[in-house]
Amino acid sequence: MRIFRTALSIALRHPIYLGVYVLFLSAIGSFITGSAVYVDEAAETYEPARASIAVVDRDGSELSRALRDHLATQNDVVDVSDEPFALQDALATSQANVAVVVPEGFGDALLDAARTEGDLPSIEVAYGGYTQAAALAEQQALRWVSLAGAAAALEPDADMDAVVDLVADASGVRADIQVEAGEVSYGAAYPFQSYLSFTTYTLMCSVIVCVGLVFSKMSAPDLRSRMLGSPARPRRVSMHVFLACLVLTVAVWVVASAVGLLSGGLRIAVVAPAQVALALASMLVFALVPLSLAFTLAQLGVTEDGLNALGNIGGMVMSFLGGAWAPLSLMGSEVQAAARFSPAFWTNEAVSAALTTPVVTADVLARVGCGMGVTALFAAAIASIGLAATRKR
């Protein structure tokens, strides 16, 4: 037990790492995802989300003005100067979620392209921080341009005013939508799900740095020689070190989970305790991945500075591939294919399957089990590399 306590004391002697990587990142995740609610549970009607759009009209034609008016009916249009710095500042400060620039000659080019079977003119779109709202606004603009092109092609003799009227009639047709409340509201569970998705970054950074530091210190040649010279068997020494690192990993998971529950997950846990338990269990399995990475990096001789760098970079990349920073549906096919080689992707799939269902069924358990199983295989594969490096040393 002395080796176990010694290993834990190494981590406790670096409180700055525990405070920054565990507590601070968990608090940041709670702050970022705390307002991520898509649907009001008490609402009985559907109200589409409105984005803040900066529309820069460099054409001034009837079609470009009609496009701006159309976007204004579904979003909040803000006035921004047609200058690069002003547009960048509006997006960076969230004054606008998206900037739409209508190029000069847009109206005439659209009519010509539609009636000569050419390509419709493109509009420039730049995203801000709220990527979901920006993507929706971009699709609304592209849909209007497509409808305008179709109207111009079907009515070859129509002028711009007539095309605008035709598009207004076509774009005004909408489906009736009703909101039905379920036992577990996706809108209520979404902030907690987003927090757990961000927690993949927290766990990756904190466990690699804190646990990797313990493995690295305990594997130092001088300390290792003294331990091997003691009456304790080498296998027992290694088991005590590993047990201490496992306890430290579980403690990091407990703190991160507690922050998520206290910041909004408790009301979901009261309504759907089984779903929340499955989601948290998925995160515990994911914590084994940075644990195995910390072990492997320590056996490869990575220093403390290297652990900090690799923990942050690896956590950022892995959480991005898991969809923590932006939905994977907005990414290209190459990124979506690469994401399946990340354990964060499979963990988030398991969390999503658990938190977006009102009843835990066999199908839900199978999806959650699949995500947890693939994640565990990643951890086992990485740990095997560390064991090979240990044997070589």
Side-chain angles (χ1 to χ4, degrees), residues 272-353:
Q275 288 89 328
V276 172
L278 287 174
L280 294 179
S282 301
M283 299 306 302
L284 178 59
V285 174
F286 176 80
L288 299 178
V289 175
L291 172 62
S292 60
L293 273 171
F295 170 71
T296 301
L297 293 175
Q299 301 312 309
L300 293 175
V302 178
T303 62
E304 181 177 342
D305 292 337
L307 290 172
N308 278 276
L310 292 176
N312 281 278
I313 296 174
M316 186 72 70
V317 173
M318 192 167 294
S319 59
F320 171 79
L321 293 176
W325 305 102
L328 290 176
S329 58
L330 301 179
M331 303 297 169
S333 57
E334 298 83 1
V335 177
Q336 295 183 20
R340 284 164 171 76
F341 293 92
S342 167
F345 170 84
W346 296 101
T347 298
N348 287 335
E349 286 289 300
V351 171
S352 176

Side-chain angles (χ1 to χ4, degrees), residues 50 53 55 66-77:
R50 297 178 66 88
I53 301 182
V55 181
L67 173 58
R68 177 189 175 93
D69 294 339
H70 172 74
L71 293 175
T73 61
Q74 304 179 57
N75 304 279
D76 299 324
V77 176

Side-chain angles (χ1 to χ4, degrees), residues 5-374:
R5 292 194 298 268
T6 300
L8 284 181
S9 67
I10 294 175
L12 296 178
R13 284 199 296 267
H14 295 79
I16 186 66
Y17 289 155
L18 297 174
V20 171
Y21 287 113
V22 182
L23 295 177
F24 180 73
L25 286 183
S26 297
I28 288 294
S30 174
F31 175 77
I32 292 176
T33 61
S35 59
V37 180
Y38 278 175
V39 180
D40 184 3
E41 293 178 77
E44 297 180 357
T45 59
Y46 172 75
E47 291 293 337
R50 297 178 66 88
S52 297
I53 301 182
V55 181
V56 178
D57 186 2
R58 297 174 180 172
D59 185 35
S61 63
E62 289 84 353
L63 285 175
S64 63
R65 288 194 295 269
L67 173 58
R68 177 189 175 93
D69 294 339
H70 172 74
L71 293 175
T73 61
Q74 304 179 57
N75 304 279
D76 299 324
V77 176
V78 296
D79 294 327
V80 179
S81 301
D82 187 7
E83 298 175 357
F85 179 79
L87 291 172
Q88 294 171 8
D89 182 70
L91 295 175
T93 59
S94 297
Q95 179 185 355
N97 303 130
V98 60
V100 178
V101 179
V102 183
E104 187 177 356
F106 169 79
D108 294 332
L110 188 147
L111 295 181
D112 293 340
R115 290 164 181 171
T116 59
E117 297 183 359
D119 295 332
L120 296 177
S122 60
I123 56 177
E124 300 178 21
V125 179
Y127 283 18
Y130 192 0
T131 55
Q132 294 94 332
L136 179 60
E138 180 184 15
Q139 292 303 314
Q140 292 169 351
L142 294 177
R143 175 177 176 269
W144 191 95
V145 172
S146 178
L147 288 175
L154 292 174
E155 297 291 341
D157 298 328
D159 56 8
M160 287 191 184
D161 291 333
V163 171
V164 169
D165 293 336
L166 291 172
V167 176
D169 294 337
S171 60
V173 178
R174 297 186 177 278
D176 294 330
I177 300 176
Q178 295 180 346
V179 177
E180 295 184 1
E183 295 181 31
V184 179
S185 171
Y186 176 73
Y190 182 77
F192 185 58
Q193 180 184 343
S194 299
Y195 172 81
L196 293 182
S197 181
F198 181 87
T199 302
T200 57
Y201 174 64
T202 304
L203 290 176
M204 188 62 62
C205 290
S206 57
V207 174
I208 285 181
V209 175
C210 299
V211 175
L213 184 63
V214 175
F215 276 127
S216 179
K217 296 293 185 182
M218 297 299 289
S219 300
D222 295 342
L223 181 58
R224 189 69 178 173
S225 299
R226 290 197 296 270
M227 288 191 300
L228 292 177
S230 66
R233 294 182 179 181
R235 180 176 298 179
R236 184 177 181 181
V237 172
S238 300
M239 289 299 298
H240 282 192
V241 173
F242 177 77
L243 181 60
C245 292
L246 181 61
V247 169
L248 184 59
T249 301
V250 174
V252 172
W253 168 79
V254 168
V255 172
S257 301
V259 171
L261 289 173
L262 293 176
S263 63
L266 280 178
R267 63 173 181 172
I268 307 301
V270 171
V271 178
Q275 288 89 328
V276 172
L278 287 174
L280 294 179
S282 301
M283 299 306 302
L284 178 59
V285 174
F286 176 80
L288 299 178
V289 175
L291 172 62
S292 60
L293 273 171
F295 170 71
T296 301
L297 293 175
Q299 301 312 309
L300 293 175
V302 178
T303 62
E304 181 177 342
D305 292 337
L307 290 172
N308 278 276
L310 292 176
N312 281 278
I313 296 174
M316 186 72 70
V317 173
M318 192 167 294
S319 59
F320 171 79
L321 293 176
W325 305 102
L328 290 176
S329 58
L330 301 179
M331 303 297 169
S333 57
E334 298 83 1
V335 177
Q336 295 183 20
R340 284 164 171 76
F341 293 92
S342 167
F345 170 84
W346 296 101
T347 298
N348 287 335
E349 286 289 300
V351 171
S352 176
L355 294 180
T356 57
T357 179
V359 180
V360 177
T361 62
D363 180 64
V364 172
L365 291 176
R367 291 172 58 193
V368 174
C370 177
M372 295 172 63
V374 174

